[in-house]
Amino acid sequence: MEQQYTKIMTAVDGSNEAELAFQKAVNVAKRNNAELLLAHVIDTRAFQTVSSFDNVLAEQATEMAKQTLNDYESYAKNAGCQKISKVIEYGAPKLMIATQIPEEHDIDLIMLGATGLNAVERLFIGSVSEYVIRNASCDVLIVRTDLNNQLPDDDKD
């Protein structure tokens, strides 16, 4: 029996790596007639450095996330993806993407872009994709290539 995924999640943050994962997730969702969950996590740790937390910052981040998700949803619909849902969460991206969102939405495949961090950065802070691989309870696919299975130009060096 061929593997069939029913709920695929891709985390989008506007990065090139997330874009590649999103494009492939759309194709996988179409082939599997699966629901595509577009997830955006607003990292609340970024607000901790602001001495007097201002709700305006959170509101602006939320509005930007909504617009980003709407743009991705439009692309997916135009590409022929039928079942699309969106979620914006707040917290640590590693935890939200690896465990909380997949558990709440019965995700059976997570598709993420490869990390843009270098080896030293990964050693000290770790990558989201590495954490998700180690902690998710469902399948995880790390996307490194474009729709033609070619490395992006900036990664070919």
Side-chain angles (χ1 to χ4, degrees):
M1 178 179 242
E2 191 173 304
Q3 174 65 49
Q4 184 82 16
Y5 293 107
T6 58
K7 290 190 102 175
I8 300 167
M9 180 181 84
T10 187
V12 293
D13 62 4
S15 69
N16 290 337
E17 294 84 7
E19 177 76 22
L20 295 175
F22 163 74
Q23 290 174 356
K24 285 197 172 182
V26 168
N27 288 341
V28 173
K30 284 176 19 184
R31 280 196 306 271
N32 284 268
N33 194 29
E35 179 181 339
L36 178 62
L37 175 65
L38 306 174
H40 184 90
V41 179
I42 296 175
D43 191 346
T44 54
R45 295 171 301 174
F47 299 125
Q48 292 174 355
T49 59
V50 179
S51 57
S52 60
F53 177 70
D54 188 352
N55 283 340
V56 173
L57 291 175
E59 290 171 11
Q60 288 175 340
T62 301
E63 284 307 310
M64 287 177 57
K66 285 179 183 176
Q67 185 56 53
T68 298
L69 289 175
N70 288 339
D71 292 345
Y72 279 112
E73 180 182 35
S74 294
Y75 176 96
K77 283 181 179 176
N78 289 336
C81 195
Q82 300 296 315
K83 299 178 246 177
I84 305 163
S85 56
K86 304 175 288 188
V87 64
I88 297 173
E89 292 289 351
Y90 303 85
K94 289 178 182 183
L95 296 172
M96 302 301 284
I97 294 168
T99 57
Q100 186 170 328
I101 298 171
E103 288 170 7
E104 288 176 1
H105 296 272
D106 295 321
I107 300 299
D108 52 15
L109 175 64
I110 300 170
M111 294 181 69
L112 294 175
T115 180
L117 301 177
N118 65 36
V120 174
E121 290 170 321
R122 281 194 306 273
L123 176 65
F124 288 111
I125 63 173
S127 72
V128 171
S129 55
E130 182 179 355
Y131 185 89
V132 173
I133 289 168
R134 293 180 186 272
N135 294 283
S137 60
C138 64
D139 289 349
V140 178
L141 185 124
I142 302 300
V143 176
R144 298 186 184 281
T145 59
D146 63 18
L147 291 175
N148 296 317
N149 291 325
Q150 301 295 310
L151 283 175
D153 289 333
D154 55 340
D155 289 342
K156 290 183 181 177
D157 301 329

